[in-house]
Amino acid sequence: MLLKDLPKCPVDTTLMMMNSRWKVLIIKELLTGTKRFGELKRALCTITQKVLASNLREMEENGLVERKVFPEVPPRVEYTLTDIGYSLAVVLDAMAEWGSAYRQFLKLVEKQNK
């Protein structure tokens, strides 16, 4: 990714880096530490292998994830967030906070409608 390829709007840039639900969930999983492909697949139950591989590849190309291949048989590959990837934690925290507040809002609305 080159600077000239990014949108002018910083919010749009953030959305571009996290343009799928899966990328957000992958980042959430990697915030707890390095994971192997299989661990990510199990944690994200309904994601397909193809979609996980594709998202990880894009995230690596964008500098959010580092992929480390160990020269063993069978090969072992681990994924870790880079520093810039870890910096998205505040974004995910804000999303979690908003999501919790919205759930509370809906509970109040449902109580009022009873």
mmCIF file of all heavy atoms in Angstrom, residues 25-74:
data_model
loop_
_atom_site.group_PDB
_atom_site.id
_atom_site.type_symbol
_atom_site.label_atom_id
_atom_site.label_comp_id
_atom_site.label_asym_id
_atom_site.label_seq_id
_atom_site.Cartn_x
_atom_site.Cartn_y
_atom_site.Cartn_z
ATOM 1 N N LEU A 25 -12.317 -9.055 13.578
ATOM 2 C CA LEU A 25 -12.289 -10.199 14.490
ATOM 3 C C LEU A 25 -10.906 -10.848 14.560
ATOM 4 O O LEU A 25 -10.488 -11.334 15.616
ATOM 5 C CB LEU A 25 -13.361 -11.216 14.090
ATOM 6 C CG LEU A 25 -14.794 -10.705 14.241
ATOM 7 C CD1 LEU A 25 -15.789 -11.721 13.685
ATOM 8 C CD2 LEU A 25 -15.112 -10.357 15.684
ATOM 9 N N ILE A 26 -10.172 -10.849 13.447
ATOM 10 C CA ILE A 26 -8.798 -11.367 13.444
ATOM 11 C C ILE A 26 -7.926 -10.490 14.342
ATOM 12 O O ILE A 26 -7.149 -10.993 15.163
ATOM 13 C CB ILE A 26 -8.228 -11.435 12.002
ATOM 14 C CG1 ILE A 26 -8.941 -12.520 11.198
ATOM 15 C CG2 ILE A 26 -6.718 -11.675 12.024
ATOM 16 C CD1 ILE A 26 -8.682 -12.460 9.694
ATOM 17 N N ILE A 27 -8.066 -9.178 14.199
ATOM 18 C CA ILE A 27 -7.295 -8.257 15.040
ATOM 19 C C ILE A 27 -7.635 -8.491 16.503
ATOM 20 O O ILE A 27 -6.749 -8.566 17.359
ATOM 21 C CB ILE A 27 -7.549 -6.797 14.629
ATOM 22 C CG1 ILE A 27 -6.934 -6.526 13.260
ATOM 23 C CG2 ILE A 27 -6.989 -5.825 15.673
ATOM 24 C CD1 ILE A 27 -7.371 -5.229 12.610
ATOM 25 N N LYS A 28 -8.925 -8.639 16.801
ATOM 26 C CA LYS A 28 -9.364 -8.893 18.183
ATOM 27 C C LYS A 28 -8.676 -10.137 18.740
ATOM 28 O O LYS A 28 -8.189 -10.137 19.871
ATOM 29 C CB LYS A 28 -10.873 -9.051 18.232
ATOM 30 C CG LYS A 28 -11.438 -9.309 19.610
ATOM 31 C CD LYS A 28 -12.946 -9.504 19.512
ATOM 32 C CE LYS A 28 -13.478 -10.490 20.480
ATOM 33 N NZ LYS A 28 -13.163 -11.867 20.337
ATOM 34 N N GLU A 29 -8.600 -11.188 17.946
ATOM 35 C CA GLU A 29 -7.951 -12.428 18.388
ATOM 36 C C GLU A 29 -6.452 -12.227 18.584
ATOM 37 O O GLU A 29 -5.873 -12.731 19.543
ATOM 38 C CB GLU A 29 -8.189 -13.556 17.384
ATOM 39 C CG GLU A 29 -9.550 -14.163 17.449
ATOM 40 C CD GLU A 29 -9.888 -14.740 18.813
ATOM 41 O OE1 GLU A 29 -9.024 -15.409 19.431
ATOM 42 O OE2 GLU A 29 -11.008 -14.506 19.281
ATOM 43 N N LEU A 30 -5.811 -11.506 17.676
ATOM 44 C CA LEU A 30 -4.363 -11.331 17.746
ATOM 45 C C LEU A 30 -3.940 -10.339 18.828
ATOM 46 O O LEU A 30 -2.765 -10.307 19.205
ATOM 47 C CB LEU A 30 -3.813 -10.917 16.382
ATOM 48 C CG LEU A 30 -3.840 -12.006 15.312
ATOM 49 C CD1 LEU A 30 -3.380 -11.450 13.967
ATOM 50 C CD2 LEU A 30 -2.989 -13.202 15.723
ATOM 51 N N LEU A 31 -4.878 -9.543 19.329
ATOM 52 C CA LEU A 31 -4.555 -8.621 20.418
ATOM 53 C C LEU A 31 -4.123 -9.380 21.676
ATOM 54 O O LEU A 31 -3.401 -8.845 22.508
ATOM 55 C CB LEU A 31 -5.743 -7.705 20.739
ATOM 56 C CG LEU A 31 -5.954 -6.545 19.780
ATOM 57 C CD1 LEU A 31 -7.281 -5.850 20.057
ATOM 58 C CD2 LEU A 31 -4.801 -5.549 19.854
ATOM 59 N N THR A 32 -4.545 -10.634 21.790
ATOM 60 C CA THR A 32 -4.166 -11.442 22.957
ATOM 61 C C THR A 32 -2.823 -12.138 22.757
ATOM 62 O O THR A 32 -2.350 -12.807 23.665
ATOM 63 C CB THR A 32 -5.249 -12.494 23.284
ATOM 64 O OG1 THR A 32 -5.389 -13.378 22.179
ATOM 65 C CG2 THR A 32 -6.580 -11.837 23.603
ATOM 66 N N GLY A 33 -2.234 -11.996 21.583
ATOM 67 C CA GLY A 33 -0.919 -12.589 21.339
ATOM 68 C C GLY A 33 -0.845 -13.339 20.020
ATOM 69 O O GLY A 33 -1.823 -13.456 19.285
ATOM 70 N N THR A 34 0.344 -13.843 19.745
ATOM 71 C CA THR A 34 0.644 -14.574 18.515
ATOM 72 C C THR A 34 -0.234 -15.822 18.420
ATOM 73 O O THR A 34 -0.451 -16.512 19.403
ATOM 74 C CB THR A 34 2.131 -14.961 18.498
ATOM 75 O OG1 THR A 34 2.903 -13.756 18.536
ATOM 76 C CG2 THR A 34 2.499 -15.756 17.270
ATOM 77 N N LYS A 35 -0.723 -16.087 17.210
ATOM 78 C CA LYS A 35 -1.569 -17.263 16.987
ATOM 79 C C LYS A 35 -1.127 -17.956 15.700
ATOM 80 O O LYS A 35 -0.662 -17.328 14.758
ATOM 81 C CB LYS A 35 -3.039 -16.863 16.809
ATOM 82 C CG LYS A 35 -3.662 -16.128 17.973
ATOM 83 C CD LYS A 35 -4.220 -17.076 18.966
ATOM 84 C CE LYS A 35 -5.056 -16.441 20.043
ATOM 85 N NZ LYS A 35 -4.567 -15.344 20.764
ATOM 86 N N ARG A 36 -1.324 -19.265 15.685
ATOM 87 C CA ARG A 36 -1.120 -20.040 14.471
ATOM 88 C C ARG A 36 -2.407 -20.002 13.661
ATOM 89 O O ARG A 36 -3.478 -19.664 14.169
ATOM 90 C CB ARG A 36 -0.734 -21.474 14.831
ATOM 91 C CG ARG A 36 0.652 -21.530 15.487
ATOM 92 C CD ARG A 36 1.036 -22.893 15.910
ATOM 93 N NE ARG A 36 1.280 -23.723 14.723
ATOM 94 C CZ ARG A 36 1.691 -24.982 14.777
ATOM 95 N NH1 ARG A 36 1.912 -25.551 15.944
ATOM 96 N NH2 ARG A 36 1.877 -25.669 13.688
ATOM 97 N N PHE A 37 -2.303 -20.345 12.386
ATOM 98 C CA PHE A 37 -3.449 -20.308 11.485
ATOM 99 C C PHE A 37 -4.612 -21.119 12.053
ATOM 100 O O PHE A 37 -5.747 -20.654 12.088
ATOM 101 C CB PHE A 37 -3.047 -20.835 10.102
ATOM 102 C CG PHE A 37 -4.112 -20.667 9.055
ATOM 103 C CD1 PHE A 37 -4.171 -19.519 8.291
ATOM 104 C CD2 PHE A 37 -5.056 -21.665 8.845
ATOM 105 C CE1 PHE A 37 -5.151 -19.359 7.324
ATOM 106 C CE2 PHE A 37 -6.040 -21.513 7.881
ATOM 107 C CZ PHE A 37 -6.086 -20.360 7.123
ATOM 108 N N GLY A 38 -4.334 -22.340 12.495
ATOM 109 C CA GLY A 38 -5.375 -23.222 13.026
ATOM 110 C C GLY A 38 -6.060 -22.641 14.252
ATOM 111 O O GLY A 38 -7.267 -22.807 14.439
ATOM 112 N N GLU A 39 -5.296 -21.953 15.096
ATOM 113 C CA GLU A 39 -5.881 -21.327 16.288
ATOM 114 C C GLU A 39 -6.860 -20.219 15.886
ATOM 115 O O GLU A 39 -7.931 -20.089 16.474
ATOM 116 C CB GLU A 39 -4.786 -20.730 17.177
ATOM 117 C CG GLU A 39 -3.900 -21.744 17.853
ATOM 118 C CD GLU A 39 -2.778 -21.072 18.623
ATOM 119 O OE1 GLU A 39 -1.879 -20.483 17.983
ATOM 120 O OE2 GLU A 39 -2.811 -21.145 19.866
ATOM 121 N N LEU A 40 -6.449 -19.437 14.892
ATOM 122 C CA LEU A 40 -7.343 -18.375 14.408
ATOM 123 C C LEU A 40 -8.601 -18.979 13.797
ATOM 124 O O LEU A 40 -9.709 -18.511 14.038
ATOM 125 C CB LEU A 40 -6.624 -17.493 13.378
ATOM 126 C CG LEU A 40 -5.556 -16.563 13.938
ATOM 127 C CD1 LEU A 40 -4.733 -15.957 12.807
ATOM 128 C CD2 LEU A 40 -6.182 -15.481 14.796
ATOM 129 N N LYS A 41 -8.427 -20.024 13.017
ATOM 130 C CA LYS A 41 -9.565 -20.689 12.369
ATOM 131 C C LYS A 41 -10.557 -21.199 13.415
ATOM 132 O O LYS A 41 -11.761 -21.014 13.281
ATOM 133 C CB LYS A 41 -9.048 -21.840 11.487
ATOM 134 C CG LYS A 41 -10.117 -22.703 10.858
ATOM 135 C CD LYS A 41 -10.605 -22.116 9.565
ATOM 136 C CE LYS A 41 -11.578 -23.016 8.845
ATOM 137 N NZ LYS A 41 -12.910 -23.024 9.407
ATOM 138 N N ARG A 42 -10.050 -21.837 14.463
ATOM 139 C CA ARG A 42 -10.926 -22.352 15.529
ATOM 140 C C ARG A 42 -11.619 -21.216 16.279
ATOM 141 O O ARG A 42 -12.787 -21.317 16.636
ATOM 142 C CB ARG A 42 -10.132 -23.219 16.510
ATOM 143 C CG ARG A 42 -9.910 -24.623 16.017
ATOM 144 C CD ARG A 42 -9.309 -25.513 17.094
ATOM 145 N NE ARG A 42 -7.982 -25.086 17.527
ATOM 146 C CZ ARG A 42 -6.856 -25.327 16.869
ATOM 147 N NH1 ARG A 42 -6.876 -26.012 15.746
ATOM 148 N NH2 ARG A 42 -5.694 -24.915 17.344
ATOM 149 N N ALA A 43 -10.901 -20.144 16.528
ATOM 150 C CA ALA A 43 -11.468 -19.018 17.278
ATOM 151 C C ALA A 43 -12.566 -18.308 16.488
ATOM 152 O O ALA A 43 -13.515 -17.784 17.063
ATOM 153 C CB ALA A 43 -10.366 -18.030 17.648
ATOM 154 N N LEU A 44 -12.425 -18.309 15.166
ATOM 155 C CA LEU A 44 -13.396 -17.623 14.298
ATOM 156 C C LEU A 44 -14.281 -18.657 13.606
ATOM 157 O O LEU A 44 -14.431 -18.655 12.391
ATOM 158 C CB LEU A 44 -12.651 -16.771 13.258
ATOM 159 C CG LEU A 44 -11.671 -15.749 13.831
ATOM 160 C CD1 LEU A 44 -10.841 -15.134 12.723
ATOM 161 C CD2 LEU A 44 -12.398 -14.692 14.628
ATOM 162 N N CYS A 45 -14.873 -19.491 14.394
ATOM 163 C CA CYS A 45 -15.628 -20.684 13.991
ATOM 164 C C CYS A 45 -16.147 -20.734 12.556
ATOM 165 O O CYS A 45 -15.922 -21.699 11.860
ATOM 166 C CB CYS A 45 -16.807 -20.884 14.931
ATOM 167 S SG CYS A 45 -16.338 -20.995 16.638
ATOM 168 N N THR A 46 -16.867 -19.713 12.119
ATOM 169 C CA THR A 46 -17.558 -19.816 10.831
ATOM 170 C C THR A 46 -16.755 -19.301 9.636
ATOM 171 O O THR A 46 -17.249 -19.352 8.513
ATOM 172 C CB THR A 46 -18.912 -19.077 10.882
ATOM 173 O OG1 THR A 46 -18.669 -17.706 11.197
ATOM 174 C CG2 THR A 46 -19.829 -19.703 11.920
ATOM 175 N N ILE A 47 -15.531 -18.835 9.869
ATOM 176 C CA ILE A 47 -14.722 -18.340 8.750
ATOM 177 C C ILE A 47 -14.182 -19.531 7.960
ATOM 178 O O ILE A 47 -13.839 -20.569 8.529
ATOM 179 C CB ILE A 47 -13.568 -17.431 9.243
ATOM 180 C CG1 ILE A 47 -12.937 -16.664 8.077
ATOM 181 C CG2 ILE A 47 -12.517 -18.232 9.987
ATOM 182 C CD1 ILE A 47 -11.983 -15.557 8.519
ATOM 183 N N THR A 48 -14.132 -19.392 6.634
ATOM 184 C CA THR A 48 -13.550 -20.455 5.819
ATOM 185 C C THR A 48 -12.034 -20.279 5.776
ATOM 186 O O THR A 48 -11.509 -19.183 6.006
ATOM 187 C CB THR A 48 -14.097 -20.440 4.382
ATOM 188 O OG1 THR A 48 -13.673 -19.227 3.743
ATOM 189 C CG2 THR A 48 -15.616 -20.559 4.359
ATOM 190 N N GLN A 49 -11.354 -21.348 5.466
ATOM 191 C CA GLN A 49 -9.897 -21.310 5.366
ATOM 192 C C GLN A 49 -9.459 -20.304 4.303
ATOM 193 O O GLN A 49 -8.517 -19.541 4.505
ATOM 194 C CB GLN A 49 -9.394 -22.712 5.027
ATOM 195 C CG GLN A 49 -7.912 -22.861 5.167
ATOM 196 C CD GLN A 49 -7.480 -24.311 5.196
ATOM 197 O OE1 GLN A 49 -8.220 -25.179 5.636
ATOM 198 N NE2 GLN A 49 -6.282 -24.574 4.731
ATOM 199 N N LYS A 50 -10.160 -20.289 3.189
ATOM 200 C CA LYS A 50 -9.833 -19.385 2.080
ATOM 201 C C LYS A 50 -9.978 -17.921 2.496
ATOM 202 O O LYS A 50 -9.110 -17.089 2.215
ATOM 203 C CB LYS A 50 -10.747 -19.688 0.887
ATOM 204 C CG LYS A 50 -10.509 -18.803 -0.311
ATOM 205 C CD LYS A 50 -11.452 -19.153 -1.441
ATOM 206 C CE LYS A 50 -11.276 -18.198 -2.613
ATOM 207 N NZ LYS A 50 -12.181 -18.470 -3.710
ATOM 208 N N VAL A 51 -11.061 -17.604 3.180
ATOM 209 C CA VAL A 51 -11.311 -16.221 3.608
ATOM 210 C C VAL A 51 -10.295 -15.803 4.667
ATOM 211 O O VAL A 51 -9.774 -14.681 4.627
ATOM 212 C CB VAL A 51 -12.762 -16.054 4.115
ATOM 213 C CG1 VAL A 51 -12.976 -14.707 4.787
ATOM 214 C CG2 VAL A 51 -13.747 -16.238 2.967
ATOM 215 N N LEU A 52 -9.973 -16.691 5.594
ATOM 216 C CA LEU A 52 -8.975 -16.377 6.611
ATOM 217 C C LEU A 52 -7.618 -16.119 5.966
ATOM 218 O O LEU A 52 -6.962 -15.118 6.262
ATOM 219 C CB LEU A 52 -8.873 -17.514 7.636
ATOM 220 C CG LEU A 52 -7.833 -17.328 8.735
ATOM 221 C CD1 LEU A 52 -8.053 -16.040 9.520
ATOM 222 C CD2 LEU A 52 -7.838 -18.540 9.669
ATOM 223 N N ALA A 53 -7.207 -16.992 5.067
ATOM 224 C CA ALA A 53 -5.915 -16.833 4.392
ATOM 225 C C ALA A 53 -5.868 -15.526 3.600
ATOM 226 O O ALA A 53 -4.875 -14.784 3.652
ATOM 227 C CB ALA A 53 -5.643 -18.016 3.474
ATOM 228 N N SER A 54 -6.939 -15.221 2.910
ATOM 229 C CA SER A 54 -7.011 -14.000 2.104
ATOM 230 C C SER A 54 -6.916 -12.750 2.985
ATOM 231 O O SER A 54 -6.177 -11.810 2.676
ATOM 232 C CB SER A 54 -8.320 -14.012 1.310
ATOM 233 O OG SER A 54 -8.518 -12.785 0.677
ATOM 234 N N ASN A 55 -7.663 -12.750 4.077
ATOM 235 C CA ASN A 55 -7.638 -11.593 4.981
ATOM 236 C C ASN A 55 -6.276 -11.427 5.639
ATOM 237 O O ASN A 55 -5.767 -10.307 5.734
ATOM 238 C CB ASN A 55 -8.730 -11.728 6.048
ATOM 239 C CG ASN A 55 -10.070 -11.265 5.548
ATOM 240 O OD1 ASN A 55 -10.361 -10.081 5.548
ATOM 241 N ND2 ASN A 55 -10.893 -12.197 5.102
ATOM 242 N N LEU A 56 -5.672 -12.521 6.074
ATOM 243 C CA LEU A 56 -4.341 -12.445 6.675
ATOM 244 C C LEU A 56 -3.317 -11.924 5.674
ATOM 245 O O LEU A 56 -2.453 -11.119 6.016
ATOM 246 C CB LEU A 56 -3.917 -13.808 7.225
ATOM 247 C CG LEU A 56 -4.602 -14.239 8.518
ATOM 248 C CD1 LEU A 56 -4.356 -15.716 8.792
ATOM 249 C CD2 LEU A 56 -4.144 -13.382 9.691
ATOM 250 N N ARG A 57 -3.422 -12.378 4.428
ATOM 251 C CA ARG A 57 -2.496 -11.924 3.372
ATOM 252 C C ARG A 57 -2.626 -10.413 3.172
ATOM 253 O O ARG A 57 -1.630 -9.690 3.114
ATOM 254 C CB ARG A 57 -2.794 -12.671 2.072
ATOM 255 C CG ARG A 57 -1.693 -12.608 1.050
ATOM 256 C CD ARG A 57 -1.954 -13.504 -0.162
ATOM 257 N NE ARG A 57 -2.379 -14.854 0.191
ATOM 258 C CZ ARG A 57 -3.611 -15.358 -0.035
ATOM 259 N NH1 ARG A 57 -4.519 -14.644 -0.645
ATOM 260 N NH2 ARG A 57 -3.918 -16.584 0.322
ATOM 261 N N GLU A 58 -3.871 -9.930 3.072
ATOM 262 C CA GLU A 58 -4.100 -8.486 2.898
ATOM 263 C C GLU A 58 -3.580 -7.698 4.094
ATOM 264 O O GLU A 58 -2.971 -6.638 3.934
ATOM 265 C CB GLU A 58 -5.597 -8.201 2.729
ATOM 266 C CG GLU A 58 -6.154 -8.540 1.381
ATOM 267 C CD GLU A 58 -7.653 -8.247 1.299
ATOM 268 O OE1 GLU A 58 -8.129 -7.321 1.983
ATOM 269 O OE2 GLU A 58 -8.345 -8.957 0.542
ATOM 270 N N MET A 59 -3.820 -8.215 5.284
ATOM 271 C CA MET A 59 -3.376 -7.524 6.488
ATOM 272 C C MET A 59 -1.852 -7.489 6.571
ATOM 273 O O MET A 59 -1.271 -6.500 7.027
ATOM 274 C CB MET A 59 -3.989 -8.189 7.725
ATOM 275 C CG MET A 59 -5.497 -8.022 7.783
ATOM 276 S SD MET A 59 -6.292 -9.058 9.015
ATOM 277 C CE MET A 59 -5.805 -8.219 10.514
ATOM 278 N N GLU A 60 -1.215 -8.546 6.090
ATOM 279 C CA GLU A 60 0.250 -8.565 6.040
ATOM 280 C C GLU A 60 0.759 -7.541 5.029
ATOM 281 O O GLU A 60 1.689 -6.778 5.315
ATOM 282 C CB GLU A 60 0.737 -9.968 5.678
ATOM 283 C CG GLU A 60 2.235 -10.105 5.695
ATOM 284 C CD GLU A 60 2.724 -11.480 5.289
ATOM 285 O OE1 GLU A 60 1.917 -12.317 4.834
ATOM 286 O OE2 GLU A 60 3.939 -11.715 5.420
ATOM 287 N N GLU A 61 0.138 -7.491 3.864
ATOM 288 C CA GLU A 61 0.523 -6.519 2.828
ATOM 289 C C GLU A 61 0.353 -5.086 3.316
ATOM 290 O O GLU A 61 1.119 -4.198 2.941
ATOM 291 C CB GLU A 61 -0.309 -6.733 1.560
ATOM 292 C CG GLU A 61 0.054 -7.985 0.801
ATOM 293 C CD GLU A 61 -0.929 -8.318 -0.302
ATOM 294 O OE1 GLU A 61 -1.867 -7.530 -0.563
ATOM 295 O OE2 GLU A 61 -0.788 -9.404 -0.899
ATOM 296 N N ASN A 62 -0.657 -4.859 4.163
ATOM 297 C CA ASN A 62 -0.927 -3.508 4.682
ATOM 298 C C ASN A 62 -0.120 -3.186 5.939
ATOM 299 O O ASN A 62 -0.254 -2.105 6.502
ATOM 300 C CB ASN A 62 -2.416 -3.335 4.965
ATOM 301 C CG ASN A 62 -3.218 -3.302 3.685
ATOM 302 O OD1 ASN A 62 -2.727 -2.910 2.638
ATOM 303 N ND2 ASN A 62 -4.460 -3.732 3.749
ATOM 304 N N GLY A 63 0.698 -4.130 6.398
ATOM 305 C CA GLY A 63 1.568 -3.874 7.536
ATOM 306 C C GLY A 63 0.916 -4.032 8.897
ATOM 307 O O GLY A 63 1.486 -3.618 9.908
ATOM 308 N N LEU A 64 -0.270 -4.637 8.945
ATOM 309 C CA LEU A 64 -0.963 -4.813 10.220
ATOM 310 C C LEU A 64 -0.554 -6.095 10.928
ATOM 311 O O LEU A 64 -0.605 -6.184 12.153
ATOM 312 C CB LEU A 64 -2.480 -4.831 10.002
ATOM 313 C CG LEU A 64 -3.094 -3.592 9.345
ATOM 314 C CD1 LEU A 64 -4.581 -3.789 9.153
ATOM 315 C CD2 LEU A 64 -2.794 -2.361 10.162
ATOM 316 N N VAL A 65 -0.162 -7.103 10.137
ATOM 317 C CA VAL A 65 0.159 -8.426 10.667
ATOM 318 C C VAL A 65 1.520 -8.861 10.148
ATOM 319 O O VAL A 65 1.887 -8.583 9.007
ATOM 320 C CB VAL A 65 -0.923 -9.448 10.220
ATOM 321 C CG1 VAL A 65 -0.515 -10.869 10.534
ATOM 322 C CG2 VAL A 65 -2.254 -9.130 10.870
ATOM 323 N N GLU A 66 2.254 -9.528 11.026
ATOM 324 C CA GLU A 66 3.527 -10.114 10.617
ATOM 325 C C GLU A 66 3.357 -11.633 10.582
ATOM 326 O O GLU A 66 2.767 -12.214 11.494
ATOM 327 C CB GLU A 66 4.594 -9.750 11.647
ATOM 328 C CG GLU A 66 5.964 -10.278 11.332
ATOM 329 C CD GLU A 66 6.951 -9.870 12.415
ATOM 330 O OE1 GLU A 66 7.382 -8.707 12.404
ATOM 331 O OE2 GLU A 66 7.257 -10.725 13.278
ATOM 332 N N ARG A 67 3.852 -12.228 9.520
ATOM 333 C CA ARG A 67 3.761 -13.681 9.323
ATOM 334 C C ARG A 67 5.154 -14.256 9.478
ATOM 335 O O ARG A 67 6.092 -13.822 8.806
ATOM 336 C CB ARG A 67 3.207 -13.963 7.934
ATOM 337 C CG ARG A 67 3.087 -15.403 7.573
ATOM 338 C CD ARG A 67 2.488 -15.483 6.158
ATOM 339 N NE ARG A 67 2.247 -16.834 5.774
ATOM 340 C CZ ARG A 67 3.020 -17.544 4.965
ATOM 341 N NH1 ARG A 67 4.104 -16.991 4.438
ATOM 342 N NH2 ARG A 67 2.722 -18.781 4.672
ATOM 343 N N LYS A 68 5.289 -15.224 10.378
ATOM 344 C CA LYS A 68 6.597 -15.854 10.588
ATOM 345 C C LYS A 68 6.477 -17.334 10.263
ATOM 346 O O LYS A 68 5.650 -18.042 10.831
ATOM 347 C CB LYS A 68 7.050 -15.660 12.030
ATOM 348 C CG LYS A 68 8.444 -16.164 12.277
ATOM 349 C CD LYS A 68 8.934 -15.793 13.656
ATOM 350 C CE LYS A 68 10.363 -16.274 13.819
ATOM 351 N NZ LYS A 68 10.881 -15.962 15.149
ATOM 352 N N VAL A 69 7.316 -17.775 9.319
ATOM 353 C CA VAL A 69 7.331 -19.182 8.905
ATOM 354 C C VAL A 69 8.548 -19.840 9.525
ATOM 355 O O VAL A 69 9.663 -19.352 9.397
ATOM 356 C CB VAL A 69 7.393 -19.311 7.363
ATOM 357 C CG1 VAL A 69 7.400 -20.773 6.951
ATOM 358 C CG2 VAL A 69 6.251 -18.560 6.713
ATOM 359 N N PHE A 70 8.313 -20.968 10.205
ATOM 360 C CA PHE A 70 9.400 -21.724 10.821
ATOM 361 C C PHE A 70 9.793 -22.872 9.900
ATOM 362 O O PHE A 70 8.925 -23.617 9.439
ATOM 363 C CB PHE A 70 8.952 -22.270 12.183
ATOM 364 C CG PHE A 70 8.696 -21.185 13.187
ATOM 365 C CD1 PHE A 70 7.451 -20.575 13.263
ATOM 366 C CD2 PHE A 70 9.696 -20.761 14.037
ATOM 367 C CE1 PHE A 70 7.210 -19.562 14.175
ATOM 368 C CE2 PHE A 70 9.467 -19.746 14.960
ATOM 369 C CZ PHE A 70 8.223 -19.150 15.026
ATOM 370 N N PRO A 71 11.082 -23.012 9.610
ATOM 371 C CA PRO A 71 11.544 -24.070 8.696
ATOM 372 C C PRO A 71 11.543 -25.440 9.369
ATOM 373 O O PRO A 71 12.580 -25.957 9.766
ATOM 374 C CB PRO A 71 12.952 -23.610 8.327
ATOM 375 C CG PRO A 71 13.400 -22.802 9.502
ATOM 376 C CD PRO A 71 12.166 -22.186 10.098
ATOM 377 N N GLU A 72 10.362 -25.994 9.544
ATOM 378 C CA GLU A 72 10.213 -27.322 10.144
ATOM 379 C C GLU A 72 9.283 -28.148 9.287
ATOM 380 O O GLU A 72 8.639 -27.637 8.396
ATOM 381 C CB GLU A 72 9.626 -27.256 11.565
ATOM 382 C CG GLU A 72 9.585 -25.944 12.217
ATOM 383 C CD GLU A 72 8.963 -25.935 13.592
ATOM 384 O OE1 GLU A 72 7.806 -26.360 13.728
ATOM 385 O OE2 GLU A 72 9.639 -25.480 14.513
ATOM 386 N N VAL A 73 9.228 -29.421 9.596
ATOM 387 C CA VAL A 73 8.296 -30.314 8.905
ATOM 388 C C VAL A 73 7.369 -30.887 9.960
ATOM 389 O O VAL A 73 7.832 -31.525 10.899
ATOM 390 C CB VAL A 73 9.045 -31.436 8.161
ATOM 391 C CG1 VAL A 73 8.072 -32.384 7.509
ATOM 392 C CG2 VAL A 73 10.003 -30.846 7.130
ATOM 393 N N PRO A 74 6.062 -30.703 9.847
ATOM 394 C CA PRO A 74 5.379 -29.834 8.890
ATOM 395 C C PRO A 74 5.649 -28.361 9.209
ATOM 396 O O PRO A 74 5.976 -28.028 10.345
ATOM 397 C CB PRO A 74 3.896 -30.177 9.100
ATOM 398 C CG PRO A 74 3.797 -30.632 10.511
ATOM 399 C CD PRO A 74 5.124 -31.288 10.815
#
